[in-house]
Amino acid sequence: VAQEFLATAPSRAFGVPPRATAMLRSLVGLGCLSSASGKVYFSETFGDGWEGRWTLSKWKDSEGTAGKWEASAGKWFRDDAEDVGIQTAQDSRFFGISAGFDAFSNKGEELIVQYQAKYEKDVECGGGYVKVGPKMSDATTFGDPTPYNIMFGPDKCGYTKRTHLIFSYKGKN
């Protein structure tokens, strides 16, 4: 049962200080969480009022390394209004944001979790991860230690480029 949709991007998430020397700006369009039967459990297009549906993490505020988000279609888009997502507005920072949804079970059904990321700057070291996990008592604390059921997304550090896909079950990855 998952009740929170969590996103981190793009600086080296999960407690490792950002080592990016290149500028980074990523557009994260968080898609939908649904079963193969077509029932949509969560979907976001980042239209008017998105700030009220999402909770910004304050995990890195005290260190002064928390980044700001903004809604934007980015540099490359087909339709300025239709292609809006959230974008990291500062370089070499930690970013975290979450949104809740009703509890569900996909027992016996396929589950599709989809989002898209568009990197507009070359990245020396960073990642853009999505976590799907249990409901948090305080979404502003979302960060590295936040429990999850599924975590995935692109990661790049130096010449190493990969997509992480990690499942957590009973506290083990």
Side-chain angles (χ1 to χ4, degrees):
V1 176
Q3 295 179 312
E4 294 283 340
F5 190 76
L6 315 162
T8 63
S11 296
R12 183 51 106 167
F14 311 115
V16 180
R19 295 178 290 174
T21 57
M23 305 276 260
L24 172 66
R25 197 172 186 128
S26 73
L27 177 69
V28 181
L30 303 173
C32 65
L33 185 62
S34 67
S35 71
S37 66
K39 178 168 176 48
V40 176
Y41 296 103
F42 180 84
S43 180
E44 177 65 75
T45 60
F46 297 103
D48 290 340
W50 73 270
E51 298 96 334
R53 296 186 295 270
W54 290 82
T55 302
L56 296 175
S57 174
K58 295 182 180 180
W59 174 51
K60 291 289 185 175
D61 281 0
S62 66
E63 297 173 19
T65 58
K68 305 288 183 216
W69 295 91
E70 65 184 23
S72 173
K75 289 181 184 178
W76 309 291
F77 56 87
R78 184 180 53 85
D79 182 290
D80 188 30
E82 188 177 303
D83 295 339
V84 169
I86 53 174
Q87 186 174 60
T88 58
Q90 297 167 296
D91 297 324
S92 301
R93 300 292 180 141
F94 288 87
F95 297 83
I97 192 166
S98 66
F101 52 87
D102 293 335
F104 70 92
S105 173
N106 69 310
K107 186 174 182 175
E109 297 179 11
E110 291 182 10
L111 179 68
I112 299 169
V113 181
Q114 174 184 330
Y115 90 110
Q116 64 188 60
K118 177 172 66 170
Y119 289 92
E120 295 180 339
K121 294 183 180 181
D122 191 24
V123 180
E124 178 61 31
C125 193
Y129 310 103
V130 171
K131 287 183 176 182
V132 179
K135 184 171 181 67
M136 296 182 298
S137 59
D138 180 3
T140 64
T141 63
F142 169 64
D144 177 30
T146 304
Y148 60 87
N149 301 101
I150 302 169
M151 183 186 87
F152 74 100
D155 183 67
K156 178 187 178 210
C157 203
Y159 293 105
T160 304
K161 296 177 185 177
R162 60 183 150 203
T163 300
H164 290 279
L165 174 58
I166 303 169
F167 296 96
S168 180
Y169 181 69
K170 295 185 179 180
K172 295 184 179 182
N173 294 340

